Structure formats: structure tokens, C-alpha cells
Amino acid sequence: MNTLSLRRSSLALAIGAALTSAIASPAAMAEEGAKKAELERIEVTARKTVENLQEVPVAVTSIGEAELQEYGFAVLTEVQQFSPNTTLQASRGTNSTITAFIRGVGQQDPLWGYEPGVGIYIDDVYVARPQGAVLDLLDVQQIEVLRGPQGTLYGKNTIGGAIKYVTKEMSGDTTFNVQGTVGSYNQRDLKITGQLPLIEDKLYVGYGFATLNRDGFGEFITSDLDNQDRENYNKDVTAARVTLEYRPTEDLFFRLGWDKTDDESNSKGGYRLLPSILTDAPVPDSVYDSYTSMPTWNKVELEGVSLTARWDMSDSTTLKYIGAMRESYSPTNIDFDNTSLRIFDVPAIYDDEQTTHELQLNHTGDNYSLVSGLYYYDGESCGQFEAILEVLGQALGAPGLTREVSGCSNSTSKAAYIQGSVDLSEQWSMTLGARYTRDSKEAIVNNGLVFATVYPESGWVPGYVRPEGQLVPTVLDDEKDWSRFTPRVGVEYQYNDDVMFFASYAQGFKSGTFNPRASTAEPAANPEIVDSFELGMKSEWNDNLRANLTLFSLDHKDRQYISVLPGDSAADLNQRLGNIGKSTSTGAELELDFVATDALSFNASLGYIDSEFEEVIDTDPATGLQFDKSDRFSVSNTPELTMNLGATYRLYTDSGDWAFNANYYYRGDYALFEEDSLLTQDSYGLVNVSANWYSTDGKWRVGVHAKNLTDEEYMIGGYQFVAPDPSDPTNISKYTPGLGGDNTLIGYYGDPRTISLTVGYSF
């Protein structure tokens, strides 16, 4: 587990020192003569085979089950604290849509058709869409964060990196685990996991079930709909998993898995940073309070089936197949303006399906190792949203006004890859890898205005009946193919048994795509390309200090970006997608683990990155001339400095074992949007403290977890549909109204201070 953060201000250093000194008193450090303990070996699957973390020439953070439990991590996004230069946050209108950035590379817009920049994997199965990707941690073995392009082994859409959610293989024993949690905001969680042998040493079944509930951090102050749940930022999730594992011989292994998640948490309402000019609603007192004119219900349904088959052909050769089908359905309500009027309401539906197949061959020789494979992906991503501008429509003399956009983006991807490492001498080795990918994409977009208030389905609001037939014209129906060869070249130098240096070049690409909001038959945007160079060191010193350092530089070319085009009126939502941008990033990442004694250990991580747009070429629609507007752009969701400093103190007694954890996590300031961002989150720090008790027989566990002790308020998303006043552009407090005719500047916030108590029992 690694995350250091050294803040540039003395205040943060003082807080970090106070945390560690509070946990590690001089008396505790002197206990048992300050006996030294050794680092634990960490195994990762970053290169699709099990290896020691210190032998992998890739920047990887791995957090195991024990650490996840002791720190009280409940969802995938909390892992960002322990991985430098990483952003994992819940997106704007829901609890379960992820915004993922690594080293300044990601994808902010979750609309169907757009491709992510950071790949999410569950047991090596690629999760193509961000909806539902804020995974609740259930029966997890470890989380791995791979930073930098992973285009050779993991393929397209990993130009920033990859997040791997690894579940546990079964041991064959009968086990049963139950865990309950109560906490702030009426948190009520229950998790049950276990396994049962059906045929001894041959066939096992595993199961998991979770119900996760919490009241809202705030409320919807007003709503013009009756019988609506007024909770805002609440949680209502049910998840289940069943796994069947079969080992007919020592050389064969089969795993069949099924999982399903239902998230019925309310749609999140945003916080108005400016008072409305069309209503009398003031800025709310709490950042978790909101106004809405929409239903507050929301839904995310996820279901998947996967099959893994592994054949150990010999001691040195393994053949593996991974196949999966996943689908998701999410009707959602997003009130962009967050008022009691229908100024800018967006009800939407996301409907996605995917099928993947991967055949992998791993081989190890006397002085080399090889990973190779074939990969196939077939996905269908569809959706529909209504931009309801009823107030504007009434001002124009119509009963309402809605811009409806719908369509599908269907794609297939075929790839072949190979990567090998060869020992050139006792100290020198080389890694060579290559992947060839061919993508095909078909897209259809329907887009147009309806002079009425329209919802996606009948019954969306009480009494509403949707007109039959297609309401708006088809403006785009096209297809295109792309192919890409992505290489990796690296060299490693084993200075001694405990220190390795490495240098590498890697390339990755994000797939090309059509504009899902197209208003005309515009061409597709080509793939984005990232070229990355790394210098690194993996080291262990005196068996109790692990220090891993990576220096990196990357060029991000052909960045896809939406430009908003002026229209004849404020009702126009004209957007054009193109490859208009180029950005660069350079930085450093340091991860430390220090075992001071059998009782006391520290972990730290530090990430520094300097990211900027070097070129953004756009075309003036009035003159047709091109111009560079890079001075108006920022690399979003990317603080210059991220840092974490943590400590663990263990106390062994006759009545049980104790583990006390504390960490301070710091994020520097960052912009939430690329172009003319009006939303910037100032730097902030989170203080988290946990205490865990384990019974002497190993059956009981009790944990108390306090997160965000100082109750920091920090933005993790937003919407901006305003512009600086042209008569006074330097005055950031003066704006002109945007789409819908109101001052729509909205923020979404991370969790406030919470305290929880967890009790677990296992046998």
C-alpha cells in the first residue's frame, strides 16, 4: 500500500506529524526493544501473470484486502488516496458513474459513444462504460492501479492507465463471513460472503450479498412533484455474486461467475453557486442541498456473466481463456439548473451491452518470459436524453421546448498482442511488446427540437404519456474503421537483489468515435494517441524500507474535444466533435513503505505533475479561419500535487490484536473543465483515522472508521452554462446567462465527515 503526500505548506506537515506522533508514542516505538520487522511481499498481476511488485517495471500501486478493510474503504474511488497522480471520483448526477484520470489523461463526459481514457477491469474483464463503475468493494483480494499507457497488454482506452479489481479464488474450505456497519447519516450496511465445497477438492461454490444504505447528506429543498423522496446524496444499493469453481485435475481450472447490482439511490442534485435570475431561490445553506423540478428517483442496473478457463500445459506454459457478457441499464434525472422551474432539465436513459473474449498464452523459459493473446470485443452503447427548456419555450410563445438527442454507438474491436522479457545478462534485461488493434464503429444520432415538454418514456412523471413514433430526425448514420499498432520497449538493470532501475517507452490510443450529440452529419473524430517515457527505480533497503520512484513524460496528441457552436438562439445546443488538442505532462511519483518495528509502520506517496495544453486548433465558424485557443484550456481533474502520509500501529494483547491507522491525503487545486473553466477546486486535505480489533481466535473483527475528520468541502464535479460578462470579463463574479437563460453554475461535492462502526464474524 503506497501513498505519500508532502504538502508544500508547513500546515500540512504539522498535521501529518501530529497524526503519526499521536499513533506512535515513544513508549510504543520502544516496545520489544524496537525490534525490526520485514516488509511483506506484494504480488500483482499488472503484466497478466503473478509477479512480485518489485520485479515489475511498471508504475503500480497495489492495495490488498487487509489494508482496504483496516482503512474502511467501501468503494473503488477511495483508492485514489493511495495512488499518486490519480483521480477516481463519482461523476456529477449519480453515485455510481466514475470520473477517472491518471497523469492528466481520462474522460470527463460519460455520454454513450465517448470512450474512457482509463480502463476499468474486474478479474481481467474490461468494463467499457463508466455507469456503475464506482464499484462497491465485496470479496475483493486487491485493487491495482497501473499508471501510464497500457496499450500492449490491455489495449485501447488505457492511455492514462488501468484499474484492476481482483477478486479472490476459493480455497476449497467451507467459510462464512458476515459484516454489518452502522454510521453517520443512518448508514446501514450488511455484507455476507462465503464458499462451500460441493465435491471435495474439485468443485466449490462461492457467494456474496450486500445491501448498502445511507440517508442523504442533504435534501431537495423544493420539488413541484408530489410523493418524491427528498433525500440528496443518499445510498440504496443491493449487490449479489455467485461463483462456481471447478478443478478436475491439478492442471485444469474453471471459474463461472455471475454478478448483479441494483443502485436505486436518488439522482444527485447539484449546489447552485450563483442565485437564479429566473426564480427567487437563493444559494442553499448547505452544499448538499438542492432544488429540483424533476423526479428525484434514479436507477443503475448492472449484470454480468464471465467464464475463466486455465490449463497449465506444463510447468512453464499456461493457456487461459476469459469470456464475459455484461449489460447495464440506467434511467436518470439530472436537473442542470437545480431550480423548481424547468429551465434546463435533462432526463436520460443509458442502455449498454458488451461481449468480450480473450485467449491468452503465457510461457516462461530459462532466461525469458512471454505473454501473448487474442482479444475480441463487441459492444452496443445506446441512450437518449431530453434537454427540457420549458421556461425558454414559453417565453418564445410555445407550450414548451425540448431538444431530444438519441442514438447508438456500436463497435467491435479485434486485437493480437505479445510482450516478452529476456535476460541479456545477470543484471540487464529487455522488455518488448506490441499490439495490433482493429476497431469498427457504427453510429446513429437523432437530434432535433420539439416545441413541447418531452420525457424519454410514458410515466416518467405522473400522468405523462409520450407521443408515439420518432420525434426528431436522424442527422447522422455512419460507420468507420481504425487500426493501430501500439508498441512497448523497455530495459531493466538489476543493480543488486534489492534494487532495479528501468526505462521504457509505451504508446496507447483511445478509440475514435462519432459525436453522440451531432446536429449534422459530421465526420468521426480519429483516435487519441499518447506517447509515454518513464525512468524508474524499484528498491528495498534493509528489509524494512520499500522506495519506488518513477519519472515520466507524456505527449497526448489528437485530443478529442467538443466545441460549442453559436446558434440562432439560446435554444440551440450545437456541438462539434474533433481532434483539436495536444497536451503534455511531466512528473514524478514516489511511493514508500517503512516498517519501523513489529508494531509500527508507515506508508507514503507523492505525485507531482506539470500538465498543459500546447495547442488547441479551432475554426471560427464566421470566417472559416483557424486559430489557437490553448491559452483558454487547462488539463482538468489533475492537481499539480497529490500526497498521502499514513501510519499503522499494531498492539498485541491477550484479549485480541489491535490495529490503529491514520492518514492525511492532500490534493492541490485543479480545474473541473478543460475550456474556460469557471469551476476550480482549491487545494484541500482529508484526515482519516481508524481503529480495528481482531479476536484471538480470528473469528471476530471490529472496526471504527472516521473519515474527513475536519469536514472539508470539496468539489468533484459540476456544470457551467454561463459566461463571463463581456463588458467586464475580468470580474469573475459577473456572468451572462447560458443555455436556458439562467445562471447555471453548479457544483457536486465529496463526502462530508462520517464515522462508522463495523462488526465482522468469520468461520
Side-chain angles (χ1 to χ4, degrees):
M1 197 166 95
N2 322 59
T3 21
L4 158 97
S5 33
L6 297 182
R7 190 177 179 181
R8 289 169 290 183
S9 73
S10 59
L11 174 60
L13 292 173
I15 293 174
L19 279 171
T20 55
S21 62
I23 295 173
S25 65
M29 294 183 66
E31 183 179 339
E32 297 184 5
K35 179 183 176 181
K36 295 292 183 179
E38 294 185 356
L39 293 161
E40 291 186 9
R41 175 187 171 96
I42 299 176
E43 292 185 338
V44 296
T45 59
R47 296 197 293 181
K48 297 201 172 184
T49 186
V50 178
E51 298 175 282
N52 184 347
L53 173 69
Q54 297 306 101
E55 298 173 355
V56 179
V58 178
V60 185
T61 297
S62 178
I63 308 175
E65 177 190 22
E67 289 86 355
L68 293 169
Q69 286 185 346
E70 287 189 355
Y71 278 90
F73 284 1
V75 291
L76 181 66
T77 51
E78 293 183 275
V79 171
Q80 79 166 5
Q81 297 185 33
F82 293 91
S83 180
N85 292 325
T86 299
T87 295
L88 299 174
Q89 295 176 337
S91 190
R92 296 167 285 208
T94 74
N95 287 326
S96 53
T97 301
I98 199 167
T99 298
F101 279 74
I102 298 178
R103 294 180 177 175
V105 181
Q107 173 63 38
Q108 184 187 69
D109 196 330
L111 199 66
W112 67 88
Y114 290 132
E115 305 284 355
V118 174
I120 307 294
Y121 292 81
I122 304 175
D123 290 331
D124 285 331
V125 174
Y126 175 57
V127 178
R129 304 301 305 148
Q131 285 77 25
V134 179
L135 302 169
D136 290 282
L137 304 185
L138 179 64
D139 206 24
V140 64
Q141 175 176 305
Q142 65 201 52
I143 305 293
E144 298 175 12
V145 182
L146 286 60
R147 296 185 297 278
Q150 307 296 319
T152 300
L153 291 181
Y154 293 91
K156 67 172 187 176
N157 302 344
T158 58
I159 54 176
I163 313 294
K164 298 190 65 177
Y165 183 109
V166 183
T167 62
K168 294 180 287 188
E169 287 190 8
M170 285 182 258
S171 64
D173 301 323
T174 299
T175 64
F176 176 79
N177 312 285
V178 59
Q179 175 180 297
T181 301
V182 295
S184 305
Y185 300 96
N186 198 24
Q187 180 182 358
R188 309 168 312 283
D189 296 345
L190 176 66
K191 295 182 180 180
I192 299 174
T193 61
Q195 56 180 296
L196 182 69
L198 302 178
I199 302 176
E200 187 174 359
D201 298 328
K202 296 286 186 182
L203 183 65
Y204 328 110
V205 61
Y207 54 87
F209 172 79
T211 174
L212 312 171
N213 300 273
R214 186 197 66 231
D215 293 346
F217 300 143
E219 65 175 349
F220 290 97
I221 301 171
T222 62
S223 172
D224 65 351
L225 298 174
D226 295 331
N227 301 318
Q228 291 294 306
D229 186 346
R230 294 294 182 89
E231 292 185 65
N232 195 18
Y233 288 83
N234 71 328
K235 188 169 187 176
D236 183 1
V237 175
T238 302
R241 176 179 296 158
V242 178
T243 304
L244 194 67
E245 290 186 359
Y246 180 46
R247 302 175 186 267
T249 69
E250 292 183 356
D251 300 330
L252 289 174
F253 169 80
F254 299 91
R255 173 195 272 186
L256 179 64
W258 168 86
D259 66 270
K260 184 175 177 61
T261 300
D262 288 326
D263 184 353
E264 296 189 0
S265 312
N266 284 352
S267 183
K268 285 196 301 189
Y271 174 71
R272 286 198 64 92
L273 295 161
L274 298 173
S276 170
I277 60 176
L278 298 181
T279 74
D280 59 358
V283 174
D285 294 333
S286 169
V287 298
Y288 303 106
D289 287 346
S290 188
Y291 309 95
T292 187
S293 58
M294 300 190 70
T296 59
W297 56 261
N298 188 72
K299 183 182 293 185
V300 179
E301 297 178 345
L302 305 171
E303 189 169 9
V305 178
S306 64
L307 172 65
T308 299
R310 187 174 65 233
W311 177 26
D312 295 328
M313 303 169 64
S314 67
D315 291 341
S316 59
T317 305
T318 300
L319 184 65
K320 186 177 182 180
Y321 166 79
I322 305 168
M325 295 182 292
R326 298 196 65 82
E327 60 183 13
S328 67
Y329 174 72
S330 178
T332 185
N333 289 285
I334 305 176
D335 192 330
F336 277 42
D337 61 279
N338 294 113
T339 71
S340 297
L341 297 179
R342 295 183 183 92
I343 297 171
F344 191 2
D345 293 359
V346 184
I349 295 176
Y350 297 86
D351 193 357
D352 305 295
E353 297 180 0
Q354 67 172 74
T355 301
T356 57
H357 302 276
E358 183 170 4
L359 186 63
Q360 186 183 119
L361 180 67
N362 296 348
H363 178 72
T364 301
D366 292 337
N367 66 338
Y368 68 93
S369 62
L370 191 69
V371 177
S372 60
L374 300 173
Y375 181 79
Y376 176 78
Y377 167 88
D378 186 1
E380 180 177 296
S381 182
C382 299
Q384 177 176 330
F385 72 82
E386 323 292 327
I388 298 174
L389 312 169
E390 184 176 89
V391 173
L392 180 59
Q394 292 173 350
L396 297 174
L401 181 64
T402 303
R403 177 169 288 276
E404 180 173 283
V405 179
S406 65
C408 289
S409 179
N410 304 329
S411 61
T412 60
S413 183
K414 305 170 186 177
Y417 64 88
I418 185 169
Q419 181 169 300
S421 296
V422 59
D423 296 332
L424 304 176
S425 68
E426 290 186 358
Q427 292 180 297
W428 290 93
S429 61
M430 175 174 283
T431 298
L432 296 174
R435 188 181 188 107
Y436 176 78
T437 304
R438 183 169 183 82
D439 277 2
S440 299
K441 183 165 289 189
E442 301 175 354
I444 184 169
V445 180
N446 309 306
N447 191 335
L449 286 175
V450 181
F451 289 92
T453 297
V454 177
Y455 291 89
E457 295 176 337
S458 295
W460 196 280
V461 297
Y464 172 73
V465 177
R466 180 178 169 85
E468 295 183 0
Q470 185 170 311
L471 303 184
V472 299
T474 298
V475 297
L476 187 150
D477 188 352
D478 202 353
E479 60 183 276
K480 190 169 183 179
D481 298 337
W482 297 274
S483 61
R484 189 75 193 182
F485 173 81
T486 49
R488 182 181 185 90
V489 180
V491 62
E492 301 86 40
Y493 176 66
Q494 196 72 43
Y495 178 75
N496 57 35
D497 290 343
D498 299 318
V499 180
M500 178 187 72
F501 298 96
F502 65 90
S504 66
Y505 161 77
Q507 186 182 87
F509 81 99
K510 186 170 82 171
S511 181
T513 192
F514 290 92
N515 182 6
R517 297 187 183 92
S519 54
T520 61
E522 64 182 72
N526 289 319
E528 296 183 4
I529 307 298
V530 168
D531 292 297
S532 174
F533 297 88
E534 290 187 6
L535 292 173
M537 177 188 72
K538 298 284 184 79
S539 67
E540 292 185 353
W541 307 85
N542 299 323
D543 295 327
N544 67 337
L545 173 63
R546 179 183 294 121
N548 295 337
L549 173 67
T550 306
L551 308 177
F552 66 88
S553 174
L554 63 86
D555 290 326
H556 189 176
K557 296 174 289 189
D558 295 324
R559 291 189 62 144
Q560 301 164 3
Y561 188 72
I562 285 284
S563 293
V564 179
L565 304 179
D568 295 331
S569 73
D572 289 332
L573 189 62
N574 298 330
Q575 297 182 332
R576 179 187 60 209
L577 177 66
N579 301 97
I580 66 173
K582 175 183 177 182
S583 64
T584 60
S585 297
T586 57
E589 295 160 352
L590 175 65
E591 299 180 280
L592 300 173
D593 285 291
F594 177 57
V595 180
T597 70
D598 279 344
L600 180 64
S601 61
F602 300 91
N603 65 83
S605 71
L606 174 68
Y608 169 79
I609 186 169
D610 180 13
S611 298
E612 63 178 352
F613 276 87
E614 293 197 343
E615 182 180 80
V616 180
I617 301 300
D618 204 352
T619 302
D620 188 327
T623 65
L625 299 177
Q626 290 189 334
F627 64 99
D628 185 351
K629 58 179 182 179
S630 56
D631 58 329
R632 295 165 50 186
F633 274 65
S634 304
V635 177
S636 69
N637 294 282
T638 304
E640 184 178 65
L641 186 66
T642 54
M643 143 188 116
N644 190 75
L645 178 62
T648 298
Y649 177 66
R650 301 188 184 278
L651 180 64
Y652 307 100
T653 71
D654 293 339
S655 60
D657 299 336
W658 293 83
F660 301 94
N661 310 82
N663 76 292
Y664 174 76
Y665 173 60
Y666 170 82
R667 284 175 68 85
D669 59 86
Y670 55 92
L672 275 76
F673 292 93
E674 284 87 6
E675 184 175 7
D676 296 330
S677 182
L678 302 175
L679 295 177
T680 298
Q681 172 58 50
D682 293 335
S683 60
Y684 66 91
L686 302 180
V687 178
N688 310 299
V689 177
S690 297
N692 297 271
W693 173 80
Y694 305 90
S695 64
T696 54
D697 60 7
K699 293 184 177 181
W700 289 94
R701 180 179 69 86
V702 179
V704 178
H705 308 287
K707 301 177 183 179
N708 190 8
L709 276 178
T710 57
D711 206 20
E712 293 286 329
E713 294 180 351
Y714 55 97
M715 275 190 295
I716 58 174
Y719 292 108
Q720 57 178 49
F721 288 92
V722 292
D725 189 333
S727 65
D728 191 6
T730 61
N731 187 346
I732 61 174
S733 63
K734 295 179 66 177
Y735 301 96
T736 57
L739 191 64
D742 201 6
N743 285 336
T744 300
L745 189 63
I746 308 298
Y748 293 87
Y749 288 78
D751 291 2
R753 177 174 53 239
T754 59
I755 300 174
S756 63
L757 169 68
T758 296
V759 179
Y761 176 75
S762 304
F763 71 79

